[in-house]
Amino acid sequence: DTVIIIAPDHSGGTGQAITSCLNWSVNSGDLICDTDLLTKIKNIKGIKFVTDDNRLQNDHSASNLIPYVEHYLPGAKVVPILLTNRISCEAAKQFAVELYKITQSKKCLIMFSIDFSHYLTPSKAAKNDSITKAAILNSDYTKISLMNNNFLDCPPALLMFLKYTETAKGKVNILENTDASKLINNLKGATTSYFVLRGGKQLTIN
């Protein structure tokens, strides 16, 4: 029914989380914002929400995913949220618990748009990714909360992903770990690394 996109804020503006209740213009017409769900999310205590249409629209971390939602899930509504790194570890975890409660009343897909190591050589990025991978698999919230851009660009988003999965009694699956140098076949210079993570329940196939 609704796709919630949680992504980093790159503007450095005010607030801790940035939202907008406007709809998005797409090929099929308008992709509708789920304003009812957004209102419930903004009522979660512990995080200061700011409404800023331009800031959210112009940040690629969330807006770049809008066309894919429209293409692959026609008819779904959206709730994009940008997070700053001013959100504490405990506030991020509590938000995830409350978000889980809110989303149980409807079918929701929650997408976390996170980049990992930045501006490092591929070999250094791989070393840092191994540290990040261990922290993810061990649900080491404290270590993740202290990571900087050498490891990932939005610790609060990763904390929320892990806590939401834990609250749902799911299991974190690492589907892929790669970096831009491999994707563009250029192993020289700086790169950005990526994890593809899924927070679902383990399925047994008979």
Side-chain angles (χ1 to χ4, degrees), residues 30-204:
D30 282 343
L31 189 60
I32 305 300
C33 175
D34 190 336
T35 53
D36 290 339
L37 183 59
L38 176 59
T39 298
K40 293 178 181 177
I41 291 173
K42 290 171 67 176
N43 285 333
I44 295 175
K45 305 296 184 183
I47 292 180
K48 181 182 178 182
F49 286 90
V50 173
T51 300
D52 193 325
D53 301 331
N54 290 330
R55 193 164 153 197
L56 195 145
Q57 175 181 262
N58 293 323
D59 198 310
H60 64 275
S61 62
S63 62
N64 276 5
L65 297 176
I66 294 294
Y68 295 96
V69 174
E70 184 257 346
H71 179 78
Y72 289 105
L73 294 169
K77 296 181 179 181
V78 290
V79 176
I81 303 170
L82 302 182
L83 302 180
T84 74
N85 287 337
R86 293 187 291 271
I87 298 172
S88 70
C89 179
E90 288 306 313
K93 290 164 63 179
Q94 184 58 38
F95 177 85
V97 171
E98 296 304 318
L99 182 64
Y100 175 78
K101 295 176 184 177
I102 289 171
T103 54
Q104 293 316 289
S105 61
K106 64 193 315 177
K107 296 177 182 177
C108 291
L109 170 65
I110 305 178
M111 301 173 63
F112 295 84
S113 175
I114 309 168
D115 287 340
F116 286 80
S117 63
H118 286 63
Y119 316 125
L120 303 177
T121 62
S123 61
K124 179 59 177 174
K127 289 179 181 178
N128 282 13
D129 279 1
S130 67
I131 296 171
T132 304
K133 179 179 179 180
I136 290 170
L137 294 177
N138 294 323
S139 294
D140 193 334
Y141 295 106
T142 300
K143 178 172 284 189
I144 291 169
S145 70
L146 298 174
M147 288 179 171
N148 57 25
N149 235 19
N150 290 335
F151 295 89
L152 75 159
D153 61 3
C154 191
L158 183 56
L159 295 171
M160 289 177 185
F161 165 76
L162 292 174
K163 189 62 180 180
Y164 189 99
T165 301
E166 177 188 315
T167 306
K169 295 181 172 56
K171 179 178 176 61
V172 174
N173 296 287
I174 298 178
L175 306 181
E176 182 65 274
N177 174 210
T178 188
D179 68 75
S181 71
K182 298 183 181 72
L183 297 175
I184 64 175
N185 195 27
N186 181 0
L187 300 180
K188 297 180 180 179
T191 191
T192 300
S193 69
Y194 310 99
F195 282 88
V196 180
L197 307 171
R198 181 179 62 197
K201 294 183 178 179
Q202 286 291 85
L203 300 177
T204 302

